[in-house]
Amino acid sequence: MSTKRTLPTVTTDPVADVPPVEGFPASEKVYVEDGDLRVPFRRVPLAGGEPPFDVYDTSGPVNPDLHRGLPRLRQPWIERRLREGDTGNRTQMHYARRGLVTEEMRFIALREGLDPAFVRDEVARGRAIIPANINHPESEPMIIGRNFLVKINANIGNSAVSSSIGEEVDKLRWAVKWGADTVMDLSTGKQIHETREWIIRNSPVPIGTVPIYQCLEKVNGEAEKLTIDLFLETLIEQAEQGVDYFTIHAGVRLAYIPLTAGRTTGIVSRGGSIMAKWCLTHHKENFLYTEFERICEVMKKYDVAFSLGDGLRPGSIADANDRPQLAELETLGELTEVAWKHDVQVMIEGPGHVPMHKIKENVDLQLEKCHEAPFYTLGPLVTDIAPGYDHITSAIGAAMIGWYGTAMLCYVTPKEHLGLPNKKDVKDGVIAYKIAAHAADLAKGHPAAQRRDDALSRARFEFRWQDQFNLSLDPDTARDFHDETLPAPAAKGAHFCSMCGPKFCSMKITQDVREYAAAHGLTEEAAVQAGLAQKAAEFAEGGQDLYRAP
Amino acid sequence: MSTKRTLPTVTTDPVADVPPVEGFPASEKVYVEDGDLRVPFRRVPLAGGEPPFDVYDTSGPVNPDLHRGLPRLRQPWIERRLREGDTGNRTQMHYARRGLVTEEMRFIALREGLDPAFVRDEVARGRAIIPANINHPESEPMIIGRNFLVKINANIGNSAVSSSIGEEVDKLRWAVKWGADTVMDLSTGKQIHETREWIIRNSPVPIGTVPIYQCLEKVNGEAEKLTIDLFLETLIEQAEQGVDYFTIHAGVRLAYIPLTAGRTTGIVSRGGSIMAKWCLTHHKENFLYTEFERICEVMKKYDVAFSLGDGLRPGSIADANDRPQLAELETLGELTEVAWKHDVQVMIEGPGHVPMHKIKENVDLQLEKCHEAPFYTLGPLVTDIAPGYDHITSAIGAAMIGWYGTAMLCYVTPKEHLGLPNKKDVKDGVIAYKIAAHAADLAKGHPAAQRRDDALSRARFEFRWQDQFNLSLDPDTARDFHDETLPAPAAKGAHFCSMCGPKFCSMKITQDVREYAAAHGLTEEAAVQAGLAQKAAEFAEGGQDLYRAP
């Protein structure tokens, strides 16, 4: 492990134009402490006699110096573990299986309100992963598993045709402000290495990459020239930098490729198509599959987690749940067991484009074939007909698949299929996925999830406008939309809103009803005592004065 | 029935500033003809040797004169029916139950690609409704039922604090351009009657209202002064104008009201809270319930359909599927049978705010309690925490509830809970709901639904950018997003896109793979012949040259 880092020198300051990130209005950063641990939350003060509300916070330290990178939170923990008996295997799974509760696990337990031993057991079992490269000590530990809060990933990265280091660092900071739990750097353009370095050093969340992209750059785009040695060299380069998980398309086996010939949209995964081209050109089995154990050796040294790529995922509704997709899934299950033999953490990538009635089958099969390793899906989009709105088509699928058991949802921005996301697209994608993930947490019955809905709904009902804004995923937009119709500052204290106006407000009438009911003893309890609703109605019809009964 | 109409005179021309509606790029309006019927579609020409694609079209006649109103398409059909034996009951259900296939049913059959007798039978059975007031002859017939395409409704209307006649007519035209199947005029402000008249005369889709809003205006906002006579008078006023369906909150029974006292958000339906206030003030049963048959008499004379309002729908996740909601649903089922006794068409309104795991129960109970009358739901929103994005939170619930059997989805705009929707919000709401409805059609296995996804995906795979844009729900936005990254006109013919650039495109690699596979006889069929995928892999590993086999 390298102990000191200097950010790469470039002729001009690449982050000179990165704007500061503004915090949420009326919120403050607080830390829940436990011994040496300080776990961040965003605290929202509330009116109406309500206690402040603490929100899970991915945004990282406030106002960091981008040139220095973030504080190295995990550095002492990592160093102590290495001092106290390094076996060469530094994975959280390795420690968990030896019964250790790491600081990362304790941090996560505090963050999610759970028992540290439960965190350890889920990691040991392979049902959850903690992406935490020993060379990314700046990251604030988080966990991906279906017995935890559903997480979301935001993709950033430059391409051959667009973007710069500063823009990508800006997108990273923007994505974590709005709640991205991990970020993937999918850069394929110039300065791949340097861009990644600036991103990792300034990221409070785990960073994922698809190393084959950089490999392909190294062979000048000629897929057939890829080799396992070049691949391993690239893995080490990126692992040294601190990448926390690698998407590796080891399940694209030679025999599955012809199965895609009859598809409507063939192979849409970039990594999948690169490996397919390699396999067919050489007429050989995928080297990522045949040399998988050599890859595991790199992964365990740095604790990089596998994100086993679904190179044959469907790219259209027509291709959903077809044979090549499911054949590859079976191979990913086989590889999961190989990785686990090395105590290397694994999650499994999933589709893609799937109509609603075929979503659950994806999760059920994944859990079965991949032995409950966490599932990490891209959407899925539930229709193909809305380019420009695929954050919505995919948020529908994402919410559902999260409910069914997917542990992390990879966002899709409005620009999907059309262009590269700008900052607005990144935000729109993150917010749509925060909605999907939270809806999934609610549907799964996560004990803490509904507290935020309830707090916001109480604020809404009591016309505490500021509380409603501040508890929402995007207070700025909520406030702006309110002010568009009723801009006067006084209106935010008003006991009505622009939809109905002051004389005609259902919330107000309900309050009247409630007061009336209370004054006349018309409680729910009284109604229940008097029998079921239908029964009660008969009473009322018969002229009996139900509500005056004791 | 009135035969001649003049739009109300006002001092200034209320629609002087309403802009023209631009058509979709590269599309033309076509009519499928059958005898005297001309059913509109939007025809999208395609390249690549593909036949043109016809899209269901709600936009109505091109460039109408707003001062004259739309052509009276249904006028001769209505008049002939009245001449040939008027029983005083003019409902489509009445005709259907007497075995008649009306022109409206034939029109719908052509529009949806179905047998006219099937349309008639579904209407006779009460499983579908055709909202078609005899005084709204301008409407193009459409059907709402779960064995048909899922429909969407857009709400417009002024409020006490905002909006004008011209703005609402503009929103109407905008909503139907983007695909709204019906529009509700929820005006509560000034000139309610006049606004409605301008809307109906210029609407090619059925118009719904909530008559109690106008009643409340007539009693100066004092709910306790409402009477059945005032209500019936208002129904007749609006039925004379041509409103196609009325939301009527007849299920808010006196005995259910105290059940809401313990709720997080009480009664959030405006109509529901108005009736609750009336019931409690007078300590009497809801007059809409007790006088329901008098209401039926008005409905059948004009063929106005009931949209039985869910006045006690939940306004928050905390209140979903609770006792008052389900008690009211039972009453709506009882009222459905009363309406059907009069051959009056009925649909049932549903929530609201429901977490994903409680959505299906809503549909199952509604179908059972309401005897399969069509369900018409508002979203539902699957979480409360995203004001400003409730078109998304609710599109998730809407897609799911549509799949489970809801016949029409009432849109929610990004301004829900915050302010009045402007044109952008109307469009965002409609598009989100077109996505939800189409996703539901796909999941229900509607035979024609996937054709559009397939056509768009083929265009995408073959880099026919213009076809991809033109087949999408919003070609303008798709094109703008594409051009943001790659603006050159040549790029729209390019066989790559901005995400990967020219050298690194998965679609391109797939095409190479496909050509390679074809050249070497590596077809799916060959793979299948050689056994299952796993088997094939073993062959390849064993050095056997699977793919050269005949």
Side-chain angles (χ1 to χ4, degrees), chain B residues 168-450:
Chain B
E168 299 313 315
V169 170
D170 189 22
K171 281 185 203 164
L172 161 74
R173 287 153 51 79
W174 190 238
V176 299
K177 167 180 171 164
W178 294 110
D181 294 288
T182 77
V183 167
M184 289 194 79
D185 171 17
L186 303 185
S187 292
T188 60
K190 290 194 174 65
Q191 299 185 301
I192 287 190
H193 182 97
E194 294 73 15
T195 303
R196 189 165 51 235
E197 188 70 21
W198 281 93
I199 287 172
I200 294 172
R201 297 286 74 76
N202 285 293
S203 177
V205 302
I207 295 295
T209 62
V210 187
I212 201 81
Y213 294 174
Q214 189 180 7
C215 294
L216 195 70
E217 290 295 311
K218 291 179 179 178
V219 294
N220 202 27
E222 295 172 77
E224 57 278 15
K225 295 198 176 156
L226 294 167
T227 64
I228 183 63
D229 292 327
L230 179 75
F231 190 78
L232 290 171
E233 171 199 306
T234 307
L235 286 194
I236 292 168
E237 173 188 338
Q238 298 198 9
E240 278 288 331
Q241 287 185 292
V243 174
D244 300 285
Y245 62 90
F246 288 146
T247 293
I248 295 185
H249 298 92
V252 180
R253 298 194 61 181
L254 176 61
Y256 305 156
I257 299 168
L259 298 176
T260 67
R263 277 182 160 183
T264 296
T265 45
I267 300 176
V268 295
S269 151
R270 280 185 277 179
S273 57
I274 292 162
M275 293 317 302
K277 182 147 195 185
W278 187 93
C279 290
L280 287 187
T281 305
H282 297 285
H283 202 67
K284 277 192 184 157
E285 186 56 278
N286 182 340
F287 62 79
L288 301 173
Y289 177 81
T290 57
E291 306 293 328
F292 192 71
E293 302 217 36
R294 290 176 69 189
I295 298 172
C296 290
E297 294 297 336
V298 176
M299 307 296 268
K300 69 187 180 196
K301 190 173 157 203
Y302 299 91
D303 196 7
V304 184
F306 277 113
S307 184
L308 291 176
D310 55 336
L312 302 180
R313 69 168 177 267
S316 56
I317 292 295
D319 295 343
N321 295 24
D322 69 356
R323 293 180 67 237
Q325 181 196 333
L326 300 180
E328 182 185 31
L329 184 65
E330 201 145 334
T331 298
L332 300 185
E334 182 195 323
L335 295 171
T336 299
E337 291 185 301
V338 176
W340 284 354
K341 203 176 66 186
H342 293 267
D343 294 348
V344 173
Q345 305 189 90
V346 180
M347 61 182 170
I348 309 291
E349 296 188 7
H353 292 241
V354 186
M356 284 189 286
H357 63 301
K358 293 186 178 175
I359 290 177
K360 188 160 186 301
E361 186 190 9
N362 273 277
V363 181
D364 292 345
L365 284 174
Q366 188 272 340
L367 289 175
E368 179 200 330
K369 304 285 184 195
C370 300
H371 321 291
E372 303 187 54
F375 204 20
Y376 168 34
T377 60
L378 179 66
L381 287 72
V382 296
T383 167
D384 302 340
I385 68 167
Y389 297 84
D390 280 336
H391 61 312
I392 299 178
T393 64
S394 68
I396 294 169
M400 292 175 71
I401 209 164
W403 170 29
Y404 297 145
T406 290
M408 186 157 77
L409 308 169
C410 182
Y411 87 173
V412 171
T413 78
K415 288 275 169 61
E416 184 77 14
H417 300 115
L418 297 169
L420 284 173
N422 58 24
K423 272 180 79 173
K424 179 179 188 312
D425 299 317
V426 168
K427 178 179 170 184
D428 284 346
V430 169
I431 299 280
Y433 274 69
K434 292 299 282 184
I435 289 169
H438 184 76
D441 287 334
L442 284 178
K444 285 164 72 177
H446 189 289
Q450 200 182 312

Side-chain angles (χ1 to χ4, degrees), chain A residues 216 253 255 263 267 280 283 383-384 389 415 419 453 457 474 484 498 504 506 510 514 516 541 547, chain B residues 216 253-255 263 267-268 280 283 383-384 389 415 419 453 457 474 484 498 504 510 514 516 541 547:
Chain A
L216 195 71
R253 297 193 61 180
R263 278 181 159 184
I267 300 175
L280 287 188
H283 202 69
T383 166
D384 303 339
Y389 297 83
K415 287 276 169 62
D453 297 75
S457 289
D474 179 2
E484 224 174 87
S498 58
F504 194 57
S506 65
T510 302
R514 205 177 263 187
Y516 182 98
E541 275 174 10
Y547 301 123
Chain B
L216 195 70
R253 298 194 61 181
L254 176 61
R263 277 182 160 183
I267 300 176
V268 295
L280 287 187
H283 202 67
T383 167
D384 302 340
Y389 297 84
K415 288 275 169 61
D453 298 74
S457 289
D474 179 1
E484 224 175 87
S498 59
F504 194 57
T510 302
R514 206 177 263 187
Y516 182 97
E541 275 175 8
Y547 300 122

